[in-house]
Amino acid sequence: MGALALATGGTLAFVWFTVRGDDAQGSQTDGLPPETTTVRKQTLRDTRTEDGELGYGPSTAVTGRLAGTFTALPAEGKRISRGGMLYELDNRPVVLMYGAKPAFRDLAAGVVGPDVRQLEAGLAALGYTGFTVDEEYSDLTAKAVEDWQEDQGLSETGRVELGRVVFAPGKIRVESRQAAEGQQSGPGGEVLTYTGTAKAVTVELDSADRQLAEKGTKVTVRLPDDSSAAGTVTDVSTEVQPATDKQEAETKVNLVVGLEGKNAQKSAAFYEQAAVQVDFTTGTRRDVLTVPVAALLVLPQGGFGVEVVDETKSTTRYVSVTTGLFADGKVEISGDGITEGITVGMPT
């Protein structure tokens, strides 16, 4: 009798074997294995687990562009939608609009570009009409802006000065406030930070593990209540952590994992922040023949085998096999006479 230690997904599985030299070929009739299992065809997936943090994903800072005094600021945790006030300067609002491109200039008649389209799309969504949503800031756009400015209590200039509108990809959640009411605002000063409103998981990897996940990679997130949720890597970024007195500079890969489906978001909503585990698939073998790792034997002539029980369950024989992927306590096997549904012994 002996034992074999097999690496399976970062752990060791000890396989006991009882093959004698005279039994290594052919059949034996002096006893059947105490337990058996069936060769199954299935898909094996080898996974690697990394720690993650459940929250709302990375935060973005809003910096001031206009001079004035802060007269109102949102509470932390507040949700703000398109057309909503982010904060007030001198009792006049700075307004949220949706768009991927940040505001970078004044917008007025004659200006052309994707930031114009973002503004016009926002105005149209808020019910302002009379213009075409395109990349040209026309006189008709200026008229709609005047109507919007009137409703906001702003001077009706038809021109949107830089800093009056902040573009974000969608509805936001205020994460923190860096400014205070009564404080003076100046160009470049940080006002607040925000995140998205959907729950997301952030994962930090060493640079050597960069191959684990690309944008669009499917993963499984295990929540604190032991439930699982499907997730997709939505963003990948690299961060260089500077050297300190105690350690050298390091490069880290930061992933954002979005949770898929209403049920996943509902389950995650119970936790404002929480430690979670994220399972990445590192290897996949589809429709292969498998047995539990514990069914493997070490043959006297070398290599691995299994003890095949004949159909009458009266004799057994040892069959040499080639192993493939080890995953989740199973192993892929192939060899002469190894087919789906045959019975093999489980050594004790």
Side-chain angles (χ1 to χ4, degrees):
M1 180 178 292
L4 168 68
L6 294 174
T8 60
T11 63
L12 290 179
F14 290 94
V15 181
W16 295 91
F17 57 91
T18 59
V19 181
R20 300 189 302 272
D22 57 352
D23 290 331
Q25 309 292 334
S27 301
Q28 65 170 20
T29 58
D30 57 346
L32 296 174
E35 295 183 23
T36 60
T37 189
T38 302
V39 175
R40 294 181 56 199
K41 180 178 285 188
Q42 63 184 136
T43 296
L44 285 185
R45 290 184 174 86
D46 193 18
T47 60
R48 174 168 169 178
T49 300
E50 296 288 339
D51 293 331
E53 182 178 346
L54 175 66
Y56 294 91
S59 62
T60 301
V62 173
T63 56
R65 297 297 187 91
L66 299 171
T69 300
F70 291 106
T71 49
L73 288 160
E76 293 180 358
K78 181 178 176 61
R79 265 79 166 166
I80 302 173
S81 301
R82 174 167 39 205
M85 184 191 75
L86 274 179
Y87 58 94
E88 276 186 355
L89 284 176
D90 299 336
N91 286 329
R92 292 180 295 177
V94 171
V95 178
L96 177 70
M97 291 286 190
Y98 296 166
K101 185 172 287 294
F104 64 95
R105 59 180 174 176
D106 291 350
L107 297 178
V111 174
V112 177
D115 49 344
V116 174
R117 179 182 290 275
Q118 291 180 168
L119 176 68
E120 290 180 338
L123 291 172
L126 293 171
Y128 297 95
T129 60
F131 60 93
T132 301
V133 176
D134 55 19
E135 295 194 350
E136 181 181 357
Y137 199 119
S138 66
D139 290 337
L140 294 176
T141 304
K143 178 61 174 66
V145 168
E146 289 178 8
D147 294 341
W148 171 74
Q149 289 172 326
E150 180 181 10
D151 292 339
Q152 295 292 324
L154 301 170
S155 300
E156 299 165 38
T157 63
R159 178 187 187 93
V160 181
E161 70 270 44
L162 178 61
R164 184 59 62 192
V165 167
V166 173
F167 289 112
K171 186 176 180 180
I172 69 168
R173 166 188 167 273
V174 177
E175 182 179 60
S176 64
R177 303 190 309 184
Q178 277 64 53
E181 293 181 11
Q183 180 180 330
Q184 292 294 305
S185 171
E190 193 167 301
V191 181
L192 56 84
T193 62
Y194 68 84
T195 66
T197 57
K199 287 288 188 177
V201 175
T202 54
V203 181
E204 183 182 84
L205 300 176
D206 292 331
S207 58
D209 297 324
R210 174 65 175 79
Q211 76 283 357
L212 271 184
E214 302 287 345
K215 191 173 181 179
T217 297
K218 302 296 184 181
V219 300
T220 299
V221 177
R222 287 184 279 160
L223 299 172
D225 62 1
D226 291 330
S227 65
S228 296
T232 301
V233 176
T234 59
D235 187 67
V236 181
S237 60
T238 301
E239 176 188 5
V240 178
Q241 297 181 351
T244 65
D245 294 338
K246 296 184 178 180
Q247 66 180 38
E248 298 179 351
E250 291 184 293
T251 300
K252 295 293 185 179
V253 179
N254 297 314
L255 309 180
V256 179
V257 175
L259 300 181
E260 298 179 354
K262 292 182 178 180
N263 289 337
Q265 287 291 330
K266 185 177 180 180
S267 297
F270 288 103
Y271 309 96
E272 187 68 15
Q273 286 187 318
V276 297
Q277 292 185 310
V278 182
D279 294 332
F280 296 86
T281 299
T282 58
T284 301
R285 294 284 292 164
R286 298 186 182 279
D287 297 326
V288 294
L289 299 176
T290 70
V291 293
V293 173
L296 281 183
L297 305 167
V298 174
L299 301 178
Q301 69 269 31
F304 303 116
V306 292
E307 184 179 7
V308 177
V309 181
D310 72 6
E311 293 182 1
T312 64
K313 294 183 170 53
S314 59
T315 62
T316 67
R317 59 193 173 89
Y318 296 106
V319 177
S320 176
V321 298
T322 300
T323 60
L325 180 66
F326 289 80
D328 196 26
K330 305 288 178 54
V331 57
E332 172 192 357
I333 61 170
S334 60
D336 292 339
I338 300 299
T339 59
E340 182 181 9
I342 66 172
T343 301
V344 299
M346 293 283 287
T348 56

